[in-house]
């Protein structure tokens, strides 16, 4: 799972195995250890959610996805889910969850589990 944060935008990108795990298990998590502090991030399916939503607590970002969408995501052709939320500070926070495609350019990153890029067809 990769996350990209830029300004008031957060993007999560998942490999095929991660999408399957999320669909089957209802949650996936990962973390980065900074030595004395661990940063965690994940996605959970919830029956209460109507759209993507997000929580940031205790050095952890958790994206919540509607269970109805997440349970079938691995077996369908939907690529992305997105939603903009209004924060308590009044700003718009854009959330994007997408299947991770192989890159079009050369990269040293392991892409063996990424989705085939349709632009390479």
């Amino acid at each position: 799972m990769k996350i990209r944060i830029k300004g008031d935008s957060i993007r999560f990108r998942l490999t095929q195995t991660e999408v399957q795990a999320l669909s089957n298990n209802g949650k996936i998590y990962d973390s980065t250890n900074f030595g004395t502090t661990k940063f965690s991030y994940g996605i959970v399916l919830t029956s209460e959610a109507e759209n993507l939503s997000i929580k940031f607590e205790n050095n952890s970002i958790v994206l919540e996805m509607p269970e109805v969408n997440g349970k079938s995501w691995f077996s369908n052709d939907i690529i992305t889910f997105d939603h903009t939320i209004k924060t308590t500070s009044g700003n718009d926070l854009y959330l994007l969850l997408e299947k991770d495609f192989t890159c079009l350019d050369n990269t040293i990153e392991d892409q063996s589990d990424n989705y085939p890029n349709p632009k390479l067809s």
Side-chain angles (χ1 to χ4, degrees):
M1 175 176 14
K2 294 187 260 182
I3 57 172
R4 178 177 287 169
I5 301 171
K6 183 177 181 186
D8 289 335
S9 171
I10 303 174
R11 180 170 85 176
F12 287 74
R13 297 175 81 186
L14 304 183
T15 65
Q16 294 181 69
T17 300
E18 291 164 339
V19 172
Q20 184 174 28
L22 178 62
S23 291
N24 292 341
N25 305 326
K27 60 187 171 186
I28 58 168
Y29 292 96
D30 206 345
S31 63
T32 302
N33 190 329
F34 289 96
T36 59
T37 304
K38 185 168 133 180
F39 172 64
S40 301
Y41 46 98
I43 304 166
V44 297
L45 303 183
T46 176
S47 59
E48 292 83 32
E50 293 182 22
N51 292 297
L52 294 179
S53 62
I54 200 156
K55 294 180 181 177
F56 179 67
E57 300 170 333
N58 302 319
N59 296 323
S60 180
I61 294 175
V62 178
L63 184 70
E64 295 179 334
M65 178 183 197
E67 186 176 56
V68 65
N69 297 16
K71 287 288 184 189
S72 62
W73 195 25
F74 181 72
S75 60
N76 65 42
D77 293 332
I78 296 172
I79 297 169
T80 63
F81 294 93
D82 69 338
H83 186 66
T84 301
I85 61 172
K86 184 72 78 177
T87 70
T88 56
S89 301
N91 63 302
D92 289 335
L93 179 61
Y94 179 67
L95 308 174
L96 177 65
L97 174 60
E98 60 188 352
K99 292 176 177 175
D100 198 5
F101 291 117
T102 55
C103 294
L104 295 175
D105 55 357
N106 292 331
T107 181
I108 59 171
E109 179 181 331
D110 178 13
Q111 300 184 71
S112 60
D113 193 29
N114 289 16
Y115 286 87
N117 195 311
K119 291 184 179 179
L120 291 175
S121 303

